[in-house]
Amino acid sequence: MGSQTVQLLVTCLVDVFAPEVGRATIRTLNLAGCEVEFPASQTCCGQPAFNVGMWDDARAMAAHTLDVLDATSGTVVVPSGSCAVMVAKHYQELFAGSEREEQAVRVSSRVRELSQFLVDDLEVVGFDSVCDDCTFTVHKSCHGLRGLGLDDQVETLVGAVAGSTTLPLDGADECCGFGGLFSVEMPEVSAAIMNTKLDRVEASGAKVVVGGDISCLLHIEGGLRRRGSGVSVRHFVEVIGGSDAT
């Protein structure tokens, strides 16, 4: 497998709340034969503002991100389905008919979510990861599932971890209740959706629930902690990339 250079768009939540996911992403991409570059001036992609209709603010953040990424080369890899959808799809909406339209199309065509890039593009699945007596179940985040068309990429990656078992999750493709600012604006509805998800996670019998979006995973982890549950939460790249967490 030949080496290629990729750009890591790490996302705000990974940067602030889960830097270990960023480190595991770099390790995993290196194992897959990629040289990882990190554009240091990257900031928020603008997704929160976009989601609540503040398109002028989102456009300003998106313009900065476009300029940063357009000055680089290679695939832009994102360990988050929601942020990947924002840059890959919604940037074209924000700049349709503007002087940045061509730039938005050019940059968005380079963007790939991490599991999508590993499984579909590189066709690299196994990373010699070992997790003795681990039982995983997989939550499928809405943005990746519906916005990018992701399906079983995470299950494929996690299923290749030696010594592990992946157990089915009832309603794996249903929302966890986070939904960005939805969880702030409608906390009761968000909590009800989350509790259904948590019931199903615990009923799966798995010791670890994995997913591809830190936003969903933080939401699920918070709910499990409040319950005193013994189920832990991991981003899939921590599992396959040889993180100390496994």
Side-chain angles (χ1 to χ4, degrees):
M1 172 173 48
S3 177
Q4 64 171 292
T5 299
V6 301
Q7 307 298 324
L8 174 59
L9 183 62
V10 77
T11 81
C12 299
L13 291 183
V14 169
D15 181 46
V16 175
F17 294 108
E20 66 277 4
V21 171
R23 292 191 291 269
T25 298
I26 293 172
R27 284 197 300 271
T28 301
L29 289 170
N30 287 160
L31 288 170
C34 298
E35 179 180 343
V36 182
E37 294 183 350
F38 181 81
S41 54
Q42 63 182 274
T43 59
C44 178
C45 68
Q47 180 199 165
F50 177 83
N51 286 346
V52 295
M54 300 173 65
W55 280 32
D56 288 342
D57 291 328
R59 201 172 281 113
M61 288 181 274
H64 173 76
T65 302
L66 284 175
D67 287 341
V68 169
L69 296 178
D70 206 22
T72 68
S73 61
T75 302
V76 178
V77 181
V78 191
S80 161
S82 59
C83 296
V85 167
M86 180 65 189
V87 183
K89 301 291 179 67
H90 297 315
Y91 276 18
Q92 294 185 46
E93 293 180 58
L94 283 174
F95 296 108
S98 75
E99 62 183 12
R100 286 187 179 270
E101 180 176 20
E102 183 177 336
Q103 183 188 38
V105 171
R106 182 169 61 245
V107 171
S108 65
S109 68
R110 296 167 49 204
V111 174
R112 302 292 275 174
E113 184 271 341
L114 179 59
S115 71
Q116 181 184 50
F117 181 61
L118 293 171
V119 176
D120 299 344
D121 298 352
L122 298 184
E123 298 182 349
V124 175
V125 174
F127 295 93
D128 298 325
S129 300
V130 177
C131 192
D132 292 334
D133 194 33
C134 287
T135 51
F136 302 119
T137 197
V138 177
H139 164 66
K140 298 183 178 182
S141 296
C142 296
H143 280 93
L145 187 69
R146 297 169 180 84
L148 296 174
L150 300 182
D151 188 10
D152 297 326
Q153 287 88 345
V154 172
E155 286 94 331
T156 298
L157 290 164
V158 172
V161 175
S164 71
T165 302
T166 303
L167 300 173
L169 176 63
D170 185 28
D173 59 351
E174 295 178 12
C175 182
C176 69
F178 179 68
L181 294 181
F182 164 79
S183 60
V184 177
E185 295 172 342
M186 304 183 71
E188 295 84 2
V189 178
S190 172
I193 296 171
M194 178 189 67
N195 283 324
T196 297
K197 176 66 67 173
L198 300 184
D199 289 344
R200 291 170 171 176
V201 165
E202 292 184 318
S204 74
K207 296 178 181 177
V208 184
V209 56
V210 299
D213 267 281
I214 283 296
S215 54
C216 299
L217 296 177
L218 288 173
H219 189 63
I220 292 170
E221 183 175 32
L224 289 170
R225 282 184 178 180
R226 284 189 292 274
R227 287 187 172 198
S229 176
V231 180
S232 61
V233 179
R234 295 286 181 270
H235 191 286
F236 74 83
V237 77
E238 297 179 88
V239 172
I240 68 172
S243 167
D244 293 338
T246 62

